Amino acid sequence: MAGAINSLGIGSGVLTAEIIEKLKDNEKSVRIDPIEQKITLEQQKGQALDLLDSLLTSFKANASALDYDVLYQERTVSGNNDGISVTAEAGVGIQSFSLEVTELAKSSVQQSGSFSSKTDTVASGEGTLNLNLNGTNYTIDYDATTTLEDLRSEINNKAGDELTASILQTGDSAYSLVITSDETGKDQVISFTDLSGNLDNKVVSDTQVSGTFATADANAATASGQMNINLDGVDYQIDYSDTTTIQDLVESINSDASLNSVLSASIVKYADNDYRMVLTPKASTQDQAITISDLDGGLNANLLNAAGTSVNGDMQVIQDATDSSFKYNG
């Protein structure tokens, strides 16, 4: 055929596919690659500017915070004892100090009077014993067949998460019920109140019990005034008002630093619509009964001694529940 190309390649005078590709690659490296490199560089510059803008914004916020003097009053506390928690108020002087333990916190330990054997019965008839620990009441049922061992087991069944009951042999034919609080501190006061009157006094705490109130929220007074509590010859005053309930009164007694060191107050439910305030000495050294008097005439008569009862039991405190104390070394 006229004008037909018979061969391709070098010497033919015609471009081959390989030569065309090389020409394309060369053109790309000369014209396109520099543009793509510029695009990549501009993108990197943009990312760098975004990062710089973020850093400057953060720096501005931190620098602005330096304008507030509260920042310089902040304090942190560091120490090496997990048993003590220390905080510092803003602006307090920077200092270092140490705390020395002068007294370890103790649990409450109470011991009953003596029984001749572990199988002695503890009651003359059927009834209920109230055990109070740190404001919590535990009801323990008993009857004429309940032995000292039975009472120990029932106390552990009902309140074993908070205390431990055991029987201690104190001599020949002498066995006592011993109750120990699991936690330490002055709040761990244990009291035993016989709700039925059939329990042997050897397992009842010395207490002062008020008259009856229908509920724990019943009014304790009709006007404002002060109640006086006398324990072991020492007087303590507690304020009340016409809105004070017996629950409020118990909380006031337990929160009073002076009273809280010598007695514990609780509300015990004797029966339906029969709630009473019970005051229990925290130590076994008191030789005088607890007496309550009204200094201003507004107190409910059910709280006064004439309306209540004193229970003189043989359950004795043999270890006071005390808080730990520390000596400050500045």
Side-chain angles (χ1 to χ4, degrees):
M1 176 183 293
I5 299 175
N6 295 322
S7 64
L8 295 173
I10 297 174
S12 66
V14 180
L15 293 175
T16 64
E18 180 182 0
I19 293 174
I20 292 173
E21 285 300 321
K22 288 182 178 180
L23 290 173
K24 287 171 59 181
D25 291 341
N26 182 69
E27 187 71 12
K28 181 177 179 295
S29 63
V30 173
R31 295 181 179 275
I32 298 177
D33 287 353
I35 295 174
E36 289 181 344
Q37 290 173 0
K38 288 182 178 180
I39 293 173
T40 301
L41 180 60
E42 292 302 320
Q43 289 174 341
Q44 292 173 346
K45 288 180 180 180
Q47 293 171 354
L49 287 173
D50 290 340
L51 176 60
L52 180 60
D53 181 67
S54 176
L55 292 174
L56 287 173
T57 300
S58 177
F59 175 76
K60 180 181 178 182
N62 291 332
S64 297
L66 297 175
D67 187 47
Y68 299 99
D69 56 358
V70 175
L71 175 68
Y72 302 98
Q73 297 178 2
E74 292 181 358
R75 299 291 184 265
T76 59
V77 176
S78 62
N80 59 0
N81 193 319
D82 294 335
I84 300 173
S85 177
V86 181
T87 60
E89 294 183 355
V92 70
I94 297 175
Q95 58 185 301
S96 63
F97 62 89
S98 62
L99 293 176
E100 177 185 348
V101 179
T102 58
E103 183 178 10
L104 291 174
K106 296 179 182 178
S107 58
S108 175
V109 182
Q110 293 210 22
Q111 180 176 317
S112 75
S114 182
F115 292 82
S116 61
S117 76
K118 294 184 287 186
T119 57
D120 280 0
T121 57
V122 297
S124 60
E126 185 176 346
T128 304
L129 162 71
N130 186 84
L131 187 158
N132 185 279
L133 174 65
N134 194 21
T136 301
N137 292 310
Y138 300 93
T139 300
I140 312 294
D141 295 325
Y142 63 80
D143 59 35
T145 66
T146 300
T147 66
L148 191 62
E149 286 183 319
D150 295 335
L151 185 60
R152 173 201 60 191
S153 299
E154 189 63 17
I155 290 173
N156 284 330
N157 288 338
K158 291 291 183 67
D161 291 338
E162 302 292 337
L163 51 79
T164 301
S166 58
I167 296 176
L168 175 67
Q169 184 172 4
T170 58
D172 293 337
S173 299
Y175 297 85
S176 294
L177 178 70
V178 176
I179 312 295
T180 305
S181 65
D182 292 342
E183 299 293 330
T184 60
K186 285 188 176 181
D187 290 334
Q188 303 302 310
V189 176
I190 302 168
S191 66
F192 291 80
T193 307
D194 186 10
L195 305 184
S196 307
N198 294 321
L199 194 67
D200 193 309
N201 263 18
K202 290 194 285 286
V203 290
V204 179
S205 304
D206 287 346
T207 59
Q208 174 66 39
V209 183
S210 77
T212 297
F213 290 85
T215 69
D217 294 325
N219 276 3
T222 57
S224 297
Q226 281 191 323
M227 175 180 73
N228 187 80
I229 299 175
N230 183 282
L231 175 63
D232 201 14
V234 180
D235 290 321
Y236 306 88
Q237 281 79 46
I238 296 294
D239 295 330
Y240 62 78
S241 71
D242 59 350
T243 61
T244 299
T245 66
I246 58 169
Q247 180 67 59
D248 295 333
L249 204 56
V250 164
E251 293 174 358
S252 295
I253 292 171
N254 288 332
S255 62
D256 184 277
S258 298
L259 264 175
N260 183 255
S261 64
V262 294
L263 62 79
S264 174
S266 59
I267 293 179
V268 174
K269 181 180 179 181
Y270 274 62
D272 290 341
N273 301 319
D274 186 356
Y275 293 80
R276 308 184 196 183
M277 183 177 74
V278 176
L279 302 181
T280 305
K282 286 191 174 183
S284 57
T285 57
Q286 280 85 15
D287 55 8
Q288 298 183 23
I290 301 170
T291 58
I292 300 174
S293 57
D294 187 7
L295 301 183
D296 297 287
L299 200 63
N300 190 307
N302 282 350
L303 290 166
L304 302 178
N305 286 90
T309 57
S310 293
V311 179
N312 299 314
D314 291 339
M315 179 69 74
Q316 292 291 314
V317 177
I318 62 174
Q319 177 173 288
D320 291 337
T322 58
D323 290 329
S324 56
S325 57
F326 304 90
K327 179 182 178 181
Y328 169 73
N329 301 306

